[in-house]
Amino acid sequence: MRFLLPAAALLVLLVLLGIGLTLDPRTVPSPLIGKPAPTFSLPRLDGEGTLSTADLDGTPVLVNFFASWCTPCLEEHPLLMRLSREGAVRLIGMNYKDGADDARRWLGRHGNPYATIARDAEGNAGLDWGVYGVPETYLLDAAGVILYKHVGPLTEAVWSAQFLPRLAGGTP
């Protein structure tokens, strides 16, 4: 009887641990899914004015938070370059907590897949979007509503399984 309570507590912890081990850490639910993208107005990386939430309306868009210091960003970069070449979707870059010159050098070295890039130097826009690390990628519909959020490097498998069906108007 004396060991019943600790044994029950241990059993509950093991069940919770087992459930936690079955979850994908890259699947982070976002309270922003199904809601309009957070409002922002940021300077463009090229120094030509600003990029704002209004610029995201009109067509489906992929908003990718990246940085030159981000090693996983380099993993997804070839896929972003391919998507850009194919015109699969309009890509918007959000350069997150990065130096402008560092970002320009990185894009010069690896290629620029983005139609436009905003500088979120302080990370305030990222905070509003729920970004806690880069890379993170959001899919928005033509009305600027967030359809999906992916945490971590975008891969071909994730693109095919999660993004393409939503771009086609369906659900995965």
Side-chain angles (χ1 to χ4, degrees):
M1 190 71 174
R2 176 170 125 189
F3 298 106
L4 189 57
L5 187 57
L10 180 63
L11 181 63
V12 169
L13 284 174
L14 289 174
V15 168
L16 291 175
L17 179 63
I19 291 170
L21 290 174
T22 64
L23 301 176
D24 182 356
R26 294 178 191 250
T27 306
V28 179
S30 172
L32 299 176
I33 302 298
K35 297 181 180 170
T39 303
F40 70 91
S41 181
L42 295 169
R44 293 178 190 247
L45 183 63
D46 62 10
E48 301 288 324
T50 59
L51 180 73
S52 70
T53 313
D55 296 316
L56 304 181
D57 291 346
T59 61
V61 63
L62 211 63
V63 178
N64 177 251
F65 284 79
F66 77 100
S68 64
W69 47 262
C70 164
T71 302
C73 295
L74 198 52
E75 288 178 41
E76 70 177 5
H77 203 70
L79 176 60
L80 296 177
M81 292 296 292
R82 183 179 66 78
L83 296 175
S84 177
R85 275 192 309 274
E86 294 174 353
V89 66
R90 187 167 58 121
L91 283 133
I92 302 295
M94 297 285 268
N95 184 235
Y96 183 74
K97 295 183 176 180
D98 201 2
D101 290 339
D102 294 335
R104 286 187 203 105
R105 276 192 296 274
W106 191 85
L107 291 166
R109 189 171 39 248
H110 302 293
N112 182 356
Y114 305 107
T116 307
I117 303 170
R119 277 198 73 225
D120 187 15
E122 302 301 321
N124 293 328
L127 190 64
D128 292 341
W129 284 66
V131 172
Y132 59 86
V134 287
E136 288 191 16
T137 306
Y138 295 79
L139 176 63
L140 280 60
D141 69 9
V145 173
I146 296 176
L147 300 176
Y148 186 68
K149 172 185 178 180
H150 177 72
V151 176
L154 187 60
T155 64
E156 190 68 48
V158 170
W159 172 254
S160 295
Q162 301 297 328
F163 286 81
L164 279 177
R166 287 178 171 91
L167 272 172
T171 55

